[in-house]
């Protein structure tokens, strides 16, 4: 039961939350709070379980009493109108659904959630579209300008089970990336990645010896005049991993404004290639609830297809 005191909260864990990691539990409880802040209050011992300090990977048990310190929670985003054209169009982006999960083919340019100046994103649009569905939570995130597969859980049990699959690398993820230059048939990038915050506040990820171990397996799908379409299979799931690993090999992704080649991006844009050419193509995993194999594939959007057709005119 939650204490209504606006300061410290004391939450008792029930059967529905049993086995969930404390960090994932806090992300659900403290909506709008940055993940960095959640891990900071865990490291500093401000979150206690049964009056003891715990690590982010601690798994909750029925009856645990959680002390949650007062943190500034952003006001929950107001849901958009269900009659909004973009909300109605989202229904056509659903590529898989069952009693436990929804998988959408997210358009490039749509954030997965509101915030940072955005009034709403994919999850708010989905909640507006499905007002009678009690529980809809993002299982994972992809960048705003990346298109493709995004998964949403319909229950806490499914959310917890999917987070465990991600943690133990039991989800096969396949991306497609159009890059500048010519690549070998197959290559692997094993380079540690570390996050940095610039003086301007911009966040960047760079290859750094003190970074987290990161691995991406690349293979060639097709070649164009000055560009290569790659399949990228991230073994680890670091922020901007594919974008940084590709750029590190001298193969920046077309349209990548953060890690790409500015001159090439400008030339490509003039030709009509006006998006980030990174697409979450495929997901494959065993459902943690019913033990069935789920495999989904997201088709390219029209901008992607048009870009490939433009490049194909000069195909070598």
């Amino acid at each position: 039961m939650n204490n209504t005191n606006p300061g410290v909260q004391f939450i008792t864990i029930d059967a529905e939350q049993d086995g969930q990691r404390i960090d994932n539990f806090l992300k659900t409880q403290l909506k709008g709070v940055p993940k960095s802040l959640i891990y900071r209050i865990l490291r500093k011992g401000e979150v206690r379980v049964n009056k003891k300090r715990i690590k982010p990977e601690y798994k909750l048990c029925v009856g645990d009493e959680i002390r949650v310190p007062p943190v500034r929670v952003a006001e929950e985003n107001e849901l958009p109108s269900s009659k909004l054209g973009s909300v109605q169009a989202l229904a056509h982006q659903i590529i898989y659904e069952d009693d436990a999960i929804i998988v959408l083919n997210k358009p490039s340019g749509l954030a997965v959630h509101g915030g940072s100046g955005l009034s709403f994103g994919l999850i708010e649009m989905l909640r507006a579209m499905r007002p009678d569905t009690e529980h809809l939570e993002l299982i994972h995130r992809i960048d705003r300008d990346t298109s493709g597969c995004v998964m949403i859980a319909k229950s806490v049990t499914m959310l917890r089970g999917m987070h465990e699959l991600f943690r133990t690398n039991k989800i096969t993820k396949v991306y497609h990336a159009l890059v500048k230059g010519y690549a070998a048939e197959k290559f692997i990038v094993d380079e540690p990645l570390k996050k940095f915050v610039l003086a301007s506040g911009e966040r960047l990820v760079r290859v750094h010896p003190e970074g987290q171990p990161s691995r991406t397996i690349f293979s060639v799908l097709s070649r164009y005049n000055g560009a290569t379409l790659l399949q990228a299979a991230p073994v680890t799931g670091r922020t901007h991993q594919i974008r940084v690993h590709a750029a590190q090999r001298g193969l920046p992704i077309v349209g990548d404004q953060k890690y790409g080649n500015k001159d090439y991006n400008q030339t490509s844009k003039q030709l009509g290639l006006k998006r980030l050419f990174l697409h979450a193509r495929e997901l494959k995993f065993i459902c943690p609830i019913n033990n069935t194999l789920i495999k989904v594939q997201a088709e390219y959007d029209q901008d992607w297809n048009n870009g490939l057709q433009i490049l194909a005119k000069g195909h070598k």
Side-chain angles (χ1 to χ4, degrees), residues 39-80:
Y39 285 104
R40 189 182 310 144
I41 62 176
L42 280 167
R43 286 196 307 270
K44 293 173 67 176
E46 295 180 39
V47 176
R48 300 287 179 120
V49 176
N50 303 326
K51 300 182 180 180
K52 298 179 181 178
R53 296 173 70 121
I54 37 78
K55 294 183 177 181
E57 58 269 24
Y58 174 83
K59 292 187 178 180
L60 299 170
C61 301
V62 174
D64 277 351
E65 185 179 68
I66 315 301
R67 176 195 184 277
V68 182
V71 292
R72 184 176 180 180
V73 181
E75 292 184 12
E76 190 164 339
N77 296 314
E78 183 178 348
L79 296 182

Side-chain angles (χ1 to χ4, degrees), residues 85-119:
S86 57
V87 173
Q88 295 178 342
L90 197 64
H92 300 293
Q93 301 300 123
I94 295 174
I95 54 179
Y96 178 86
E97 182 172 6
D98 59 25
D99 292 339
I101 194 172
I102 297 172
V103 186
L104 293 105
N105 184 358
K106 185 189 79 66
S108 175
L110 176 63
V112 293
H113 57 75
S116 300
L118 298 172
S119 56

Side-chain angles (χ1 to χ4, degrees), residues 1-14:
M1 184 173 66
N2 290 22
N3 187 342
T4 57
N5 188 318
V8 174
Q9 294 185 74
F10 291 93
I11 305 172
T12 302
I13 299 305
D14 57 26

Side-chain angles (χ1 to χ4, degrees), residues 221-235:
L221 294 172
S222 56
R223 291 190 173 90
Y224 299 87
N225 185 24
T228 305
L229 181 62
L230 295 176
Q231 175 175 291
V235 178

